[in-house]
Coordinates of all heavy atoms in Angstrom, one line a residue:
I394 N -24.8 -21.4 -16.9 CA -24.0 -22.5 -16.4 C -25.1 -23.3 -15.6 O -25.5 -22.9 -14.5 CB -22.9 -22.1 -15.5 CG1 -21.9 -21.3 -16.3 CG2 -22.2 -23.3 -14.9 CD1 -20.7 -20.7 -15.5
N395 N -25.4 -24.5 -16.1 CA -26.5 -25.3 -15.6 C -25.9 -26.7 -15.1 O -25.5 -27.5 -16.0 CB -27.6 -25.5 -16.6 CG -28.8 -26.2 -15.9 OD1 -28.8 -26.6 -14.8 ND2 -29.9 -26.4 -16.7
L396 N -25.7 -26.8 -13.8 CA -25.2 -28.1 -13.3 C -26.3 -28.7 -12.4 O -26.0 -29.6 -11.5 CB -24.0 -27.9 -12.4 CG -22.8 -27.3 -13.2 CD1 -21.6 -27.1 -12.2 CD2 -22.3 -28.3 -14.3
L397 N -27.6 -28.3 -12.5 CA -28.6 -28.8 -11.7 C -28.8 -30.3 -11.9 O -29.2 -31.0 -10.9 CB -29.9 -28.1 -11.9 CG -29.9 -26.5 -11.7 CD1 -31.2 -25.9 -12.0 CD2 -29.5 -26.3 -10.2
H398 N -28.7 -30.8 -13.1 CA -28.9 -32.2 -13.3 C -27.5 -32.9 -13.6 O -27.5 -34.0 -14.2 CB -29.8 -32.4 -14.6 CG -31.1 -31.7 -14.4 ND1 -32.1 -32.2 -13.6 CD2 -31.6 -30.6 -15.0 CE1 -33.1 -31.4 -13.7 NE2 -32.8 -30.4 -14.5
S399 N -26.5 -32.4 -13.1 CA -25.1 -32.9 -13.3 C -24.9 -34.0 -12.3 O -25.4 -34.0 -11.1 CB -24.1 -31.9 -13.3 OG -22.8 -32.4 -13.4
T400 N -24.1 -35.0 -12.7 CA -23.7 -36.1 -11.7 C -22.3 -35.8 -11.1 O -21.9 -36.6 -10.3 CB -23.6 -37.4 -12.5 OG1 -22.7 -37.3 -13.6 CG2 -25.0 -37.8 -13.0
E401 N -21.8 -34.6 -11.4 CA -20.5 -34.3 -10.7 C -20.7 -34.0 -9.3 O -21.7 -33.5 -8.8 CB -19.9 -33.0 -11.4 CG -19.5 -33.3 -12.9 CD -18.2 -34.1 -13.0 OE1 -17.5 -34.2 -12.0 OE2 -18.0 -34.5 -14.1
E402 N -19.7 -34.3 -8.5 CA -19.7 -34.1 -7.0 C -18.6 -33.2 -6.7 O -17.4 -33.3 -7.2 CB -19.6 -35.4 -6.3 CG -20.8 -36.4 -6.5 CD -20.6 -37.6 -5.6 OE1 -19.6 -37.8 -4.9 OE2 -21.5 -38.5 -5.6
L403 N -18.9 -32.3 -5.8 CA -17.9 -31.3 -5.3 C -17.0 -32.0 -4.2 O -17.3 -33.1 -3.7 CB -18.5 -30.0 -4.8 CG -19.4 -29.3 -5.9 CD1 -20.0 -28.1 -5.2 CD2 -18.5 -28.9 -7.1
L404 N -16.0 -31.3 -3.8 CA -15.2 -31.8 -2.7 C -15.9 -31.9 -1.4 O -16.9 -31.2 -1.2 CB -14.0 -30.8 -2.5 CG -13.0 -30.7 -3.7 CD1 -11.9 -29.7 -3.3 CD2 -12.4 -32.1 -4.0
N405 N -15.5 -32.8 -0.5 CA -16.2 -33.0 0.8 C -15.9 -31.8 1.7 O -15.0 -31.0 1.5 CB -15.7 -34.3 1.4 CG -16.0 -35.5 0.6 OD1 -17.0 -35.5 0.0 ND2 -15.2 -36.5 0.7
T406 N -16.8 -31.7 2.6 CA -16.7 -30.6 3.6 C -15.4 -30.7 4.4 O -14.8 -29.7 4.7 CB -17.9 -30.5 4.5 OG1 -19.1 -30.4 3.7 CG2 -17.9 -29.4 5.4
T407 N -15.1 -31.9 4.8 CA -13.9 -32.1 5.6 C -12.6 -31.7 4.8 O -11.7 -31.2 5.4 CB -13.8 -33.5 6.1 OG1 -13.8 -34.4 4.9 CG2 -14.9 -33.9 7.0
D408 N -12.6 -32.0 3.5 CA -11.4 -31.6 2.7 C -11.3 -30.1 2.5 O -10.2 -29.6 2.5 CB -11.5 -32.3 1.3 CG -11.5 -33.8 1.4 OD1 -10.9 -34.3 2.4 OD2 -12.0 -34.5 0.5
L409 N -12.4 -29.4 2.4 CA -12.4 -28.0 2.2 C -12.1 -27.3 3.5 O -11.4 -26.2 3.4 CB -13.8 -27.5 1.7 CG -14.1 -27.9 0.3 CD1 -15.6 -27.5 0.0 CD2 -13.2 -27.3 -0.7
M410 N -12.5 -27.8 4.6 CA -12.2 -27.1 5.9 C -11.0 -27.6 6.6 O -10.7 -27.2 7.7 CB -13.4 -27.3 6.8 CG -14.7 -26.8 6.3 SD -14.7 -25.0 6.1 CE -14.6 -24.4 7.8
R411 N -10.2 -28.5 5.9 CA -9.0 -29.0 6.6 C -7.9 -28.0 6.6 O -7.7 -27.2 5.7 CB -8.5 -30.2 5.8 CG -7.3 -30.9 6.4 CD -6.9 -32.0 5.5 NE -7.9 -33.0 5.4 CZ -8.0 -34.0 4.5 NH1 -7.0 -34.1 3.6 NH2 -9.0 -34.9 4.5
T412 N -7.3 -27.9 7.7 CA -6.2 -26.9 7.9 C -4.9 -27.7 8.1 O -4.8 -28.7 8.7 CB -6.4 -26.0 9.1 OG1 -6.6 -26.8 10.3 CG2 -7.7 -25.1 8.9
N413 N -3.8 -27.1 7.6 CA -2.5 -27.7 7.8 C -2.0 -27.6 9.2 O -2.2 -26.5 9.8 CB -1.5 -27.1 6.8 CG -1.9 -27.4 5.4 OD1 -2.5 -28.4 5.1 ND2 -1.6 -26.4 4.5
K414 N -1.4 -28.6 9.7 CA -0.9 -28.5 11.1 C 0.4 -27.7 11.1 O 1.2 -27.8 10.1 CB -0.6 -29.9 11.6 CG -1.9 -30.8 11.8 CD -1.5 -32.1 12.4 CE -2.8 -33.0 12.6 NZ -2.5 -34.3 13.1
R415 N 0.6 -27.0 12.1 CA 1.8 -26.2 12.2 C 3.0 -27.1 12.6 O 2.9 -27.8 13.5 CB 1.7 -25.1 13.2 CG 0.7 -24.0 12.8 CD 0.6 -22.9 13.9 NE -0.4 -21.9 13.5 CZ -0.7 -20.9 14.2 NH1 0.0 -20.7 15.4 NH2 -1.6 -20.0 13.8

Side-chain angles (χ1 to χ4, degrees):
I394 300 177
N395 189 356
L396 298 178
L397 299 177
H398 303 289
S399 176
T400 58
E401 295 285 346
E402 294 183 357
L403 302 179
L404 296 176
N405 296 328
T406 303
T407 55
D408 295 336
L409 292 173
M410 299 299 293
R411 183 181 299 167
T412 56
N413 296 328
K414 296 181 180 180
R415 293 182 180 180

